[in-house]
Amino acid sequence: MAPRSLRYGALVSRNACRPGVPQLAQAPLTFRQRSTASHESDQKAATASLSPRWLGEVKQRIGKCITFGLTPAQTARAGHILQEIARDWRELVAGSEGFLTTPDRRGMHRQAVVWGEMDSMGLRLSSFQKGHVNNVMYNRYAESGRIGWAQKLAMLDPANKKAWRELFAPTSAGLILRAITTEFKFPMKWPDNISVYHKLRAEPTAGTDSFILDVLIMSELHQRPAARCIEDIV
């Protein structure tokens, strides 16, 4: 797949719509076919120094620019940026951290959050929004995403497709989860949808007997991570 460049510098610039103000350099953000392992590069994600709400803040800044008036050229540019955000926000958020977001790689896409997954603590019938998704559910999301991720590998590796398919059969040892650490980012609520992405922390070798998977659980409604997990697999 040919890479598509995104004007990332313009997205995070506070002065992007102000006439006469120098613009930030527009470094291209490209779509990768391979996730970024930690040993491959010591560079942090392009969004590491930004607020977790940076994508929403960018849209708010553009909205203010439009509200206070733009030249025709600036209006066209703002519209183009908003189109890129609407189309590629998953790649901008998850892809900037090395997660592969394409259909042939992602483990779970737009899975619906159901009302029964919310915690009953503080939940009242008169107000569905008092509760939040039960913390246990995030580990289940990660598990389902991991299965989906491995099944996608079967399609990408035809020579070993049968072995990948049988990995989760009752007769197979499967991917045994030795430990999982979950970091909650905000209390996600119903209704929402989630997408789950996995990536190897380091590339396995011939002598590898365990490996670490980084997991990103994305809220589609808020367009930012709802939780992050670290899975220790044997």
Side-chain angles (χ1 to χ4, degrees), residues 73-119:
Q74 290 173 333
T75 300
R77 183 182 181 189
H80 181 65
I81 292 174
L82 289 174
Q83 287 178 352
E84 288 187 332
I85 291 175
R87 182 189 64 215
D88 300 324
W89 70 268
R90 297 176 187 86
E91 179 66 17
L92 286 167
V93 178
S96 67
E97 299 184 25
F99 292 94
L100 298 177
T101 62
T102 53
D104 61 336
R105 297 283 186 167
R106 58 198 180 204
M108 186 183 293
H109 181 61
R110 292 191 55 79
Q111 173 73 28
V113 174
V114 300
W115 185 85
E117 293 173 345
M118 290 208 297
D119 198 323

mmCIF file of all heavy atoms in Angstrom, residues 73-119:
data_model
loop_
_atom_site.group_PDB
_atom_site.id
_atom_site.type_symbol
_atom_site.label_atom_id
_atom_site.label_comp_id
_atom_site.label_asym_id
_atom_site.label_seq_id
_atom_site.Cartn_x
_atom_site.Cartn_y
_atom_site.Cartn_z
ATOM 1 N N ALA A 73 -8.170 30.774 1.154
ATOM 2 C CA ALA A 73 -7.117 29.759 1.108
ATOM 3 C C ALA A 73 -7.002 29.031 2.444
ATOM 4 O O ALA A 73 -6.817 27.804 2.495
ATOM 5 C CB ALA A 73 -5.780 30.410 0.749
ATOM 6 N N GLN A 74 -7.113 29.789 3.544
ATOM 7 C CA GLN A 74 -7.041 29.175 4.864
ATOM 8 C C GLN A 74 -8.251 28.289 5.128
ATOM 9 O O GLN A 74 -8.138 27.232 5.758
ATOM 10 C CB GLN A 74 -6.930 30.258 5.933
ATOM 11 C CG GLN A 74 -5.597 30.983 5.947
ATOM 12 C CD GLN A 74 -5.598 32.163 6.909
ATOM 13 O OE1 GLN A 74 -6.649 32.745 7.189
ATOM 14 N NE2 GLN A 74 -4.420 32.525 7.397
ATOM 15 N N THR A 75 -9.421 28.701 4.652
ATOM 16 C CA THR A 75 -10.627 27.893 4.815
ATOM 17 C C THR A 75 -10.481 26.556 4.103
ATOM 18 O O THR A 75 -10.843 25.502 4.640
ATOM 19 C CB THR A 75 -11.853 28.643 4.267
ATOM 20 O OG1 THR A 75 -12.016 29.876 4.988
ATOM 21 C CG2 THR A 75 -13.114 27.805 4.415
ATOM 22 N N ALA A 76 -9.925 26.599 2.889
ATOM 23 C CA ALA A 76 -9.710 25.366 2.133
ATOM 24 C C ALA A 76 -8.719 24.461 2.854
ATOM 25 O O ALA A 76 -8.905 23.241 2.929
ATOM 26 C CB ALA A 76 -9.210 25.698 0.733
ATOM 27 N N ARG A 77 -7.678 25.072 3.413
ATOM 28 C CA ARG A 77 -6.673 24.286 4.127
ATOM 29 C C ARG A 77 -7.265 23.671 5.396
ATOM 30 O O ARG A 77 -7.017 22.500 5.708
ATOM 31 C CB ARG A 77 -5.489 25.172 4.485
ATOM 32 C CG ARG A 77 -4.356 24.416 5.167
ATOM 33 C CD ARG A 77 -3.232 25.351 5.553
ATOM 34 N NE ARG A 77 -2.144 24.632 6.181
ATOM 35 C CZ ARG A 77 -1.114 25.210 6.778
ATOM 36 N NH1 ARG A 77 -1.046 26.525 6.822
ATOM 37 N NH2 ARG A 77 -0.160 24.491 7.332
ATOM 38 N N ALA A 78 -8.057 24.447 6.130
ATOM 39 C CA ALA A 78 -8.687 23.937 7.348
ATOM 40 C C ALA A 78 -9.620 22.776 7.025
ATOM 41 O O ALA A 78 -9.655 21.767 7.735
ATOM 42 C CB ALA A 78 -9.459 25.058 8.047
ATOM 43 N N GLY A 79 -10.388 22.907 5.942
ATOM 44 C CA GLY A 79 -11.280 21.829 5.542
ATOM 45 C C GLY A 79 -10.526 20.565 5.179
ATOM 46 O O GLY A 79 -10.955 19.454 5.508
ATOM 47 N N HIS A 80 -9.381 20.740 4.518
ATOM 48 C CA HIS A 80 -8.567 19.589 4.133
ATOM 49 C C HIS A 80 -8.021 18.882 5.373
ATOM 50 O O HIS A 80 -8.013 17.647 5.448
ATOM 51 C CB HIS A 80 -7.422 20.050 3.234
ATOM 52 C CG HIS A 80 -6.536 18.931 2.766
ATOM 53 N ND1 HIS A 80 -6.978 17.926 1.942
ATOM 54 C CD2 HIS A 80 -5.227 18.655 3.034
ATOM 55 C CE1 HIS A 80 -5.988 17.080 1.709
ATOM 56 N NE2 HIS A 80 -4.918 17.500 2.360
ATOM 57 N N ILE A 81 -7.575 19.654 6.362
ATOM 58 C CA ILE A 81 -7.050 19.067 7.596
ATOM 59 C C ILE A 81 -8.141 18.300 8.335
ATOM 60 O O ILE A 81 -7.924 17.189 8.827
ATOM 61 C CB ILE A 81 -6.446 20.161 8.502
ATOM 62 C CG1 ILE A 81 -5.184 20.742 7.856
ATOM 63 C CG2 ILE A 81 -6.112 19.597 9.880
ATOM 64 C CD1 ILE A 81 -4.602 21.917 8.598
ATOM 65 N N LEU A 82 -9.346 18.877 8.406
ATOM 66 C CA LEU A 82 -10.453 18.199 9.085
ATOM 67 C C LEU A 82 -10.824 16.897 8.372
ATOM 68 O O LEU A 82 -11.182 15.907 9.018
ATOM 69 C CB LEU A 82 -11.664 19.128 9.159
ATOM 70 C CG LEU A 82 -11.538 20.312 10.127
ATOM 71 C CD1 LEU A 82 -12.739 21.241 9.997
ATOM 72 C CD2 LEU A 82 -11.395 19.824 11.566
ATOM 73 N N GLN A 83 -10.745 16.895 7.053
ATOM 74 C CA GLN A 83 -11.015 15.671 6.300
ATOM 75 C C GLN A 83 -9.982 14.596 6.622
ATOM 76 O O GLN A 83 -10.317 13.417 6.780
ATOM 77 C CB GLN A 83 -11.013 15.967 4.799
ATOM 78 C CG GLN A 83 -12.228 16.742 4.313
ATOM 79 C CD GLN A 83 -12.157 17.048 2.828
ATOM 80 O OE1 GLN A 83 -11.135 16.817 2.170
ATOM 81 N NE2 GLN A 83 -13.241 17.570 2.281
ATOM 82 N N GLU A 84 -8.719 15.011 6.723
ATOM 83 C CA GLU A 84 -7.659 14.053 7.055
ATOM 84 C C GLU A 84 -7.857 13.483 8.458
ATOM 85 O O GLU A 84 -7.655 12.287 8.687
ATOM 86 C CB GLU A 84 -6.295 14.728 6.942
ATOM 87 C CG GLU A 84 -5.853 14.999 5.514
ATOM 88 C CD GLU A 84 -4.428 15.515 5.447
ATOM 89 O OE1 GLU A 84 -3.983 16.153 6.426
ATOM 90 O OE2 GLU A 84 -3.765 15.286 4.431
ATOM 91 N N ILE A 85 -8.253 14.335 9.399
ATOM 92 C CA ILE A 85 -8.484 13.869 10.766
ATOM 93 C C ILE A 85 -9.632 12.865 10.799
ATOM 94 O O ILE A 85 -9.539 11.809 11.428
ATOM 95 C CB ILE A 85 -8.784 15.057 11.698
ATOM 96 C CG1 ILE A 85 -7.532 15.918 11.882
ATOM 97 C CG2 ILE A 85 -9.283 14.558 13.053
ATOM 98 C CD1 ILE A 85 -7.771 17.173 12.696
ATOM 99 N N ALA A 86 -10.733 13.192 10.121
ATOM 100 C CA ALA A 86 -11.897 12.308 10.113
ATOM 101 C C ALA A 86 -11.568 10.954 9.491
ATOM 102 O O ALA A 86 -12.056 9.914 9.938
ATOM 103 C CB ALA A 86 -13.048 12.971 9.357
ATOM 104 N N ARG A 87 -10.724 10.959 8.474
ATOM 105 C CA ARG A 87 -10.389 9.725 7.767
ATOM 106 C C ARG A 87 -9.301 8.924 8.471
ATOM 107 O O ARG A 87 -9.360 7.687 8.538
ATOM 108 C CB ARG A 87 -9.927 10.069 6.350
ATOM 109 C CG ARG A 87 -9.597 8.857 5.467
ATOM 110 C CD ARG A 87 -8.943 9.323 4.171
ATOM 111 N NE ARG A 87 -7.668 9.966 4.439
ATOM 112 C CZ ARG A 87 -7.188 11.003 3.733
ATOM 113 N NH1 ARG A 87 -7.900 11.528 2.753
ATOM 114 N NH2 ARG A 87 -6.005 11.521 4.027
ATOM 115 N N ASP A 88 -8.306 9.604 9.025
ATOM 116 C CA ASP A 88 -7.089 8.923 9.476
ATOM 117 C C ASP A 88 -6.806 9.081 10.968
ATOM 118 O O ASP A 88 -5.673 8.887 11.399
ATOM 119 C CB ASP A 88 -5.879 9.452 8.691
ATOM 120 C CG ASP A 88 -6.020 9.233 7.195
ATOM 121 O OD1 ASP A 88 -6.577 8.197 6.797
ATOM 122 O OD2 ASP A 88 -5.577 10.104 6.427
ATOM 123 N N TRP A 89 -7.813 9.403 11.784
ATOM 124 C CA TRP A 89 -7.529 9.689 13.188
ATOM 125 C C TRP A 89 -6.943 8.482 13.920
ATOM 126 O O TRP A 89 -6.120 8.638 14.827
ATOM 127 C CB TRP A 89 -8.780 10.195 13.901
ATOM 128 C CG TRP A 89 -9.863 9.176 14.116
ATOM 129 C CD1 TRP A 89 -10.914 8.907 13.296
ATOM 130 C CD2 TRP A 89 -9.997 8.298 15.239
ATOM 131 N NE1 TRP A 89 -11.694 7.910 13.831
ATOM 132 C CE2 TRP A 89 -11.154 7.522 15.023
ATOM 133 C CE3 TRP A 89 -9.252 8.096 16.402
ATOM 134 C CZ2 TRP A 89 -11.583 6.551 15.927
ATOM 135 C CZ3 TRP A 89 -9.680 7.130 17.304
ATOM 136 C CH2 TRP A 89 -10.835 6.376 17.062
ATOM 137 N N ARG A 90 -7.324 7.271 13.542
ATOM 138 C CA ARG A 90 -6.769 6.085 14.209
ATOM 139 C C ARG A 90 -5.273 5.965 13.935
ATOM 140 O O ARG A 90 -4.493 5.611 14.814
ATOM 141 C CB ARG A 90 -7.499 4.829 13.746
ATOM 142 C CG ARG A 90 -8.982 4.805 14.104
ATOM 143 C CD ARG A 90 -9.673 3.576 13.545
ATOM 144 N NE ARG A 90 -11.109 3.636 13.742
ATOM 145 C CZ ARG A 90 -11.953 4.247 12.911
ATOM 146 N NH1 ARG A 90 -11.482 4.842 11.811
ATOM 147 N NH2 ARG A 90 -13.249 4.277 13.161
ATOM 148 N N GLU A 91 -4.889 6.247 12.701
ATOM 149 C CA GLU A 91 -3.467 6.202 12.358
ATOM 150 C C GLU A 91 -2.710 7.333 13.038
ATOM 151 O O GLU A 91 -1.569 7.160 13.466
ATOM 152 C CB GLU A 91 -3.305 6.275 10.838
ATOM 153 C CG GLU A 91 -1.865 6.261 10.354
ATOM 154 C CD GLU A 91 -1.134 4.950 10.640
ATOM 155 O OE1 GLU A 91 -1.805 3.938 10.920
ATOM 156 O OE2 GLU A 91 0.102 4.950 10.590
ATOM 157 N N LEU A 92 -3.331 8.496 13.158
ATOM 158 C CA LEU A 92 -2.684 9.624 13.823
ATOM 159 C C LEU A 92 -2.444 9.335 15.301
ATOM 160 O O LEU A 92 -1.410 9.704 15.857
ATOM 161 C CB LEU A 92 -3.551 10.880 13.679
ATOM 162 C CG LEU A 92 -3.567 11.543 12.299
ATOM 163 C CD1 LEU A 92 -4.688 12.565 12.217
ATOM 164 C CD2 LEU A 92 -2.230 12.193 11.999
ATOM 165 N N VAL A 93 -3.397 8.664 15.951
ATOM 166 C CA VAL A 93 -3.281 8.395 17.384
ATOM 167 C C VAL A 93 -2.506 7.101 17.638
ATOM 168 O O VAL A 93 -1.459 7.099 18.287
ATOM 169 C CB VAL A 93 -4.675 8.331 18.043
ATOM 170 C CG1 VAL A 93 -4.552 7.988 19.529
ATOM 171 C CG2 VAL A 93 -5.402 9.656 17.874
ATOM 172 N N ALA A 94 -3.014 5.977 17.134
ATOM 173 C CA ALA A 94 -2.379 4.683 17.390
ATOM 174 C C ALA A 94 -1.164 4.457 16.494
ATOM 175 O O ALA A 94 -0.141 3.931 16.936
ATOM 176 C CB ALA A 94 -3.393 3.556 17.189
ATOM 177 N N GLY A 95 -1.271 4.858 15.235
ATOM 178 C CA GLY A 95 -0.167 4.644 14.305
ATOM 179 C C GLY A 95 1.085 5.400 14.688
ATOM 180 O O GLY A 95 2.200 4.945 14.429
ATOM 181 N N SER A 96 0.923 6.567 15.319
ATOM 182 C CA SER A 96 2.092 7.343 15.732
ATOM 183 C C SER A 96 2.892 6.631 16.815
ATOM 184 O O SER A 96 4.043 6.974 17.071
ATOM 185 C CB SER A 96 1.650 8.727 16.243
ATOM 186 O OG SER A 96 0.903 8.611 17.440
ATOM 187 N N GLU A 97 2.285 5.610 17.461
ATOM 188 C CA GLU A 97 2.971 4.834 18.494
ATOM 189 C C GLU A 97 3.464 3.489 17.974
ATOM 190 O O GLU A 97 3.955 2.664 18.743
ATOM 191 C CB GLU A 97 2.030 4.605 19.680
ATOM 192 C CG GLU A 97 1.572 5.885 20.351
ATOM 193 C CD GLU A 97 0.713 5.608 21.571
ATOM 194 O OE1 GLU A 97 0.859 4.511 22.157
ATOM 195 O OE2 GLU A 97 -0.100 6.467 21.933
ATOM 196 N N GLY A 98 3.321 3.260 16.677
ATOM 197 C CA GLY A 98 3.819 2.021 16.098
ATOM 198 C C GLY A 98 2.796 0.922 15.957
ATOM 199 O O GLY A 98 3.127 -0.177 15.500
ATOM 200 N N PHE A 99 1.537 1.162 16.334
ATOM 201 C CA PHE A 99 0.494 0.160 16.154
ATOM 202 C C PHE A 99 0.022 0.176 14.699
ATOM 203 O O PHE A 99 -0.113 1.244 14.097
ATOM 204 C CB PHE A 99 -0.694 0.439 17.077
ATOM 205 C CG PHE A 99 -0.397 0.243 18.536
ATOM 206 C CD1 PHE A 99 -0.001 1.314 19.321
ATOM 207 C CD2 PHE A 99 -0.508 -1.008 19.124
ATOM 208 C CE1 PHE A 99 0.276 1.149 20.669
ATOM 209 C CE2 PHE A 99 -0.231 -1.189 20.472
ATOM 210 C CZ PHE A 99 0.165 -0.110 21.249
ATOM 211 N N LEU A 100 -0.244 -1.013 14.158
ATOM 212 C CA LEU A 100 -0.738 -1.130 12.795
ATOM 213 C C LEU A 100 -2.258 -1.114 12.821
ATOM 214 O O LEU A 100 -2.885 -1.945 13.482
ATOM 215 C CB LEU A 100 -0.223 -2.417 12.149
ATOM 216 C CG LEU A 100 1.305 -2.505 12.020
ATOM 217 C CD1 LEU A 100 1.713 -3.849 11.440
ATOM 218 C CD2 LEU A 100 1.851 -1.369 11.168
ATOM 219 N N THR A 101 -2.855 -0.181 12.100
ATOM 220 C CA THR A 101 -4.298 0.043 12.185
ATOM 221 C C THR A 101 -5.058 -0.407 10.949
ATOM 222 O O THR A 101 -6.274 -0.231 10.880
ATOM 223 C CB THR A 101 -4.579 1.542 12.417
ATOM 224 O OG1 THR A 101 -4.089 2.295 11.290
ATOM 225 C CG2 THR A 101 -3.882 2.039 13.676
ATOM 226 N N THR A 102 -4.372 -0.990 9.974
ATOM 227 C CA THR A 102 -5.035 -1.399 8.738
ATOM 228 C C THR A 102 -5.933 -2.614 8.982
ATOM 229 O O THR A 102 -5.731 -3.362 9.944
ATOM 230 C CB THR A 102 -3.994 -1.731 7.658
ATOM 231 O OG1 THR A 102 -3.050 -2.680 8.182
ATOM 232 C CG2 THR A 102 -3.249 -0.474 7.232
ATOM 233 N N PRO A 103 -6.942 -2.836 8.126
ATOM 234 C CA PRO A 103 -7.886 -3.946 8.336
ATOM 235 C C PRO A 103 -7.230 -5.316 8.452
ATOM 236 O O PRO A 103 -7.749 -6.199 9.146
ATOM 237 C CB PRO A 103 -8.793 -3.870 7.098
ATOM 238 C CG PRO A 103 -8.747 -2.434 6.688
ATOM 239 C CD PRO A 103 -7.341 -1.990 6.974
ATOM 240 N N ASP A 104 -6.097 -5.527 7.783
ATOM 241 C CA ASP A 104 -5.454 -6.839 7.817
ATOM 242 C C ASP A 104 -4.558 -7.023 9.037
ATOM 243 O O ASP A 104 -3.920 -8.077 9.184
ATOM 244 C CB ASP A 104 -4.637 -7.067 6.541
ATOM 245 C CG ASP A 104 -3.523 -6.037 6.371
ATOM 246 O OD1 ASP A 104 -3.645 -4.933 6.942
ATOM 247 O OD2 ASP A 104 -2.538 -6.333 5.661
ATOM 248 N N ARG A 105 -4.515 -6.035 9.932
ATOM 249 C CA ARG A 105 -3.640 -6.121 11.102
ATOM 250 C C ARG A 105 -4.367 -5.920 12.434
ATOM 251 O O ARG A 105 -3.968 -6.496 13.443
ATOM 252 C CB ARG A 105 -2.530 -5.066 10.995
ATOM 253 C CG ARG A 105 -1.602 -5.251 9.806
ATOM 254 C CD ARG A 105 -0.604 -6.355 10.031
ATOM 255 N NE ARG A 105 0.370 -6.445 8.950
ATOM 256 C CZ ARG A 105 1.488 -7.157 9.010
ATOM 257 N NH1 ARG A 105 1.768 -7.829 10.101
ATOM 258 N NH2 ARG A 105 2.308 -7.201 7.982
ATOM 259 N N ARG A 106 -5.386 -5.098 12.460
ATOM 260 C CA ARG A 106 -6.035 -4.766 13.732
ATOM 261 C C ARG A 106 -6.804 -5.967 14.284
ATOM 262 O O ARG A 106 -7.415 -6.736 13.553
ATOM 263 C CB ARG A 106 -6.965 -3.577 13.554
ATOM 264 C CG ARG A 106 -8.053 -3.775 12.524
ATOM 265 C CD ARG A 106 -8.632 -2.450 12.093
ATOM 266 N NE ARG A 106 -9.693 -2.602 11.106
ATOM 267 C CZ ARG A 106 -10.049 -1.665 10.241
ATOM 268 N NH1 ARG A 106 -9.423 -0.497 10.249
ATOM 269 N NH2 ARG A 106 -11.027 -1.866 9.383
ATOM 270 N N GLY A 107 -6.772 -6.104 15.613
ATOM 271 C CA GLY A 107 -7.405 -7.249 16.250
ATOM 272 C C GLY A 107 -8.894 -7.094 16.446
ATOM 273 O O GLY A 107 -9.644 -8.073 16.395
ATOM 274 N N MET A 108 -9.350 -5.867 16.679
ATOM 275 C CA MET A 108 -10.772 -5.607 16.885
ATOM 276 C C MET A 108 -11.081 -4.214 16.360
ATOM 277 O O MET A 108 -10.324 -3.279 16.609
ATOM 278 C CB MET A 108 -11.130 -5.715 18.374
ATOM 279 C CG MET A 108 -12.610 -5.593 18.683
ATOM 280 S SD MET A 108 -12.937 -5.653 20.473
ATOM 281 C CE MET A 108 -12.464 -7.339 20.843
ATOM 282 N N HIS A 109 -12.207 -4.091 15.654
ATOM 283 C CA HIS A 109 -12.546 -2.810 15.039
ATOM 284 C C HIS A 109 -13.996 -2.451 15.318
ATOM 285 O O HIS A 109 -14.911 -3.196 14.981
ATOM 286 C CB HIS A 109 -12.312 -2.880 13.527
ATOM 287 C CG HIS A 109 -12.608 -1.598 12.803
ATOM 288 N ND1 HIS A 109 -11.928 -0.422 13.069
ATOM 289 C CD2 HIS A 109 -13.510 -1.301 11.831
ATOM 290 C CE1 HIS A 109 -12.392 0.539 12.285
ATOM 291 N NE2 HIS A 109 -13.353 0.042 11.540
ATOM 292 N N ARG A 110 -14.187 -1.330 15.989
ATOM 293 C CA ARG A 110 -15.511 -0.771 16.263
ATOM 294 C C ARG A 110 -16.455 -1.775 16.933
ATOM 295 O O ARG A 110 -17.635 -1.862 16.600
ATOM 296 C CB ARG A 110 -16.142 -0.213 14.984
ATOM 297 C CG ARG A 110 -15.432 1.025 14.446
ATOM 298 C CD ARG A 110 -16.239 1.705 13.343
ATOM 299 N NE ARG A 110 -17.595 2.033 13.779
ATOM 300 C CZ ARG A 110 -17.914 3.078 14.532
ATOM 301 N NH1 ARG A 110 -16.963 3.916 14.933
ATOM 302 N NH2 ARG A 110 -19.167 3.304 14.878
ATOM 303 N N GLN A 111 -15.918 -2.524 17.882
ATOM 304 C CA GLN A 111 -16.742 -3.433 18.677
ATOM 305 C C GLN A 111 -17.646 -2.605 19.589
ATOM 306 O O GLN A 111 -17.191 -1.704 20.291
ATOM 307 C CB GLN A 111 -15.856 -4.350 19.519
ATOM 308 C CG GLN A 111 -16.591 -5.229 20.503
ATOM 309 C CD GLN A 111 -17.340 -6.354 19.822
ATOM 310 O OE1 GLN A 111 -16.946 -6.800 18.751
ATOM 311 N NE2 GLN A 111 -18.409 -6.816 20.437
ATOM 312 N N ALA A 112 -18.941 -2.912 19.580
ATOM 313 C CA ALA A 112 -19.894 -2.133 20.371
ATOM 314 C C ALA A 112 -19.724 -2.399 21.862
ATOM 315 O O ALA A 112 -19.586 -3.547 22.293
ATOM 316 C CB ALA A 112 -21.317 -2.458 19.942
ATOM 317 N N VAL A 113 -19.722 -1.331 22.642
ATOM 318 C CA VAL A 113 -19.789 -1.436 24.098
ATOM 319 C C VAL A 113 -21.265 -1.535 24.467
ATOM 320 O O VAL A 113 -22.065 -0.692 24.055
ATOM 321 C CB VAL A 113 -19.154 -0.203 24.775
ATOM 322 C CG1 VAL A 113 -19.367 -0.245 26.284
ATOM 323 C CG2 VAL A 113 -17.670 -0.119 24.441
ATOM 324 N N VAL A 114 -21.632 -2.554 25.224
ATOM 325 C CA VAL A 114 -23.036 -2.752 25.571
ATOM 326 C C VAL A 114 -23.296 -2.287 27.000
ATOM 327 O O VAL A 114 -22.383 -2.213 27.829
ATOM 328 C CB VAL A 114 -23.458 -4.226 25.398
ATOM 329 C CG1 VAL A 114 -23.273 -4.660 23.956
ATOM 330 C CG2 VAL A 114 -22.659 -5.136 26.313
ATOM 331 N N TRP A 115 -24.552 -1.991 27.276
ATOM 332 C CA TRP A 115 -24.924 -1.441 28.579
ATOM 333 C C TRP A 115 -24.567 -2.389 29.718
ATOM 334 O O TRP A 115 -24.154 -1.968 30.793
ATOM 335 C CB TRP A 115 -26.423 -1.142 28.587
ATOM 336 C CG TRP A 115 -26.894 -0.456 29.833
ATOM 337 C CD1 TRP A 115 -26.875 0.876 30.102
ATOM 338 C CD2 TRP A 115 -27.447 -1.086 30.995
ATOM 339 N NE1 TRP A 115 -27.388 1.129 31.357
ATOM 340 C CE2 TRP A 115 -27.746 -0.064 31.926
ATOM 341 C CE3 TRP A 115 -27.722 -2.409 31.333
ATOM 342 C CZ2 TRP A 115 -28.307 -0.332 33.169
ATOM 343 C CZ3 TRP A 115 -28.283 -2.680 32.580
ATOM 344 C CH2 TRP A 115 -28.565 -1.637 33.481
ATOM 345 N N GLY A 116 -24.688 -3.703 29.483
ATOM 346 C CA GLY A 116 -24.411 -4.687 30.523
ATOM 347 C C GLY A 116 -22.952 -4.775 30.921
ATOM 348 O O GLY A 116 -22.619 -5.427 31.914
ATOM 349 N N GLU A 117 -22.053 -4.140 30.164
ATOM 350 C CA GLU A 117 -20.634 -4.159 30.501
ATOM 351 C C GLU A 117 -20.259 -3.056 31.488
ATOM 352 O O GLU A 117 -19.120 -2.998 31.942
ATOM 353 C CB GLU A 117 -19.792 -4.008 29.226
ATOM 354 C CG GLU A 117 -19.899 -5.205 28.300
ATOM 355 C CD GLU A 117 -19.207 -4.992 26.973
ATOM 356 O OE1 GLU A 117 -18.889 -3.832 26.644
ATOM 357 O OE2 GLU A 117 -18.994 -5.988 26.256
ATOM 358 N N MET A 118 -21.230 -2.202 31.814
ATOM 359 C CA MET A 118 -20.927 -1.120 32.749
ATOM 360 C C MET A 118 -21.017 -1.611 34.190
ATOM 361 O O MET A 118 -21.744 -2.552 34.515
ATOM 362 C CB MET A 118 -21.876 0.057 32.526
ATOM 363 C CG MET A 118 -21.640 0.792 31.228
ATOM 364 S SD MET A 118 -22.137 2.527 31.315
ATOM 365 C CE MET A 118 -23.877 2.373 31.606
ATOM 366 N N ASP A 119 -20.264 -0.945 35.052
ATOM 367 C CA ASP A 119 -20.256 -1.255 36.474
ATOM 368 C C ASP A 119 -21.548 -0.748 37.095
ATOM 369 O O ASP A 119 -21.980 0.375 36.823
ATOM 370 C CB ASP A 119 -19.051 -0.585 37.137
ATOM 371 C CG ASP A 119 -18.728 -1.199 38.489
ATOM 372 O OD1 ASP A 119 -19.666 -1.565 39.212
ATOM 373 O OD2 ASP A 119 -17.534 -1.310 38.807
#
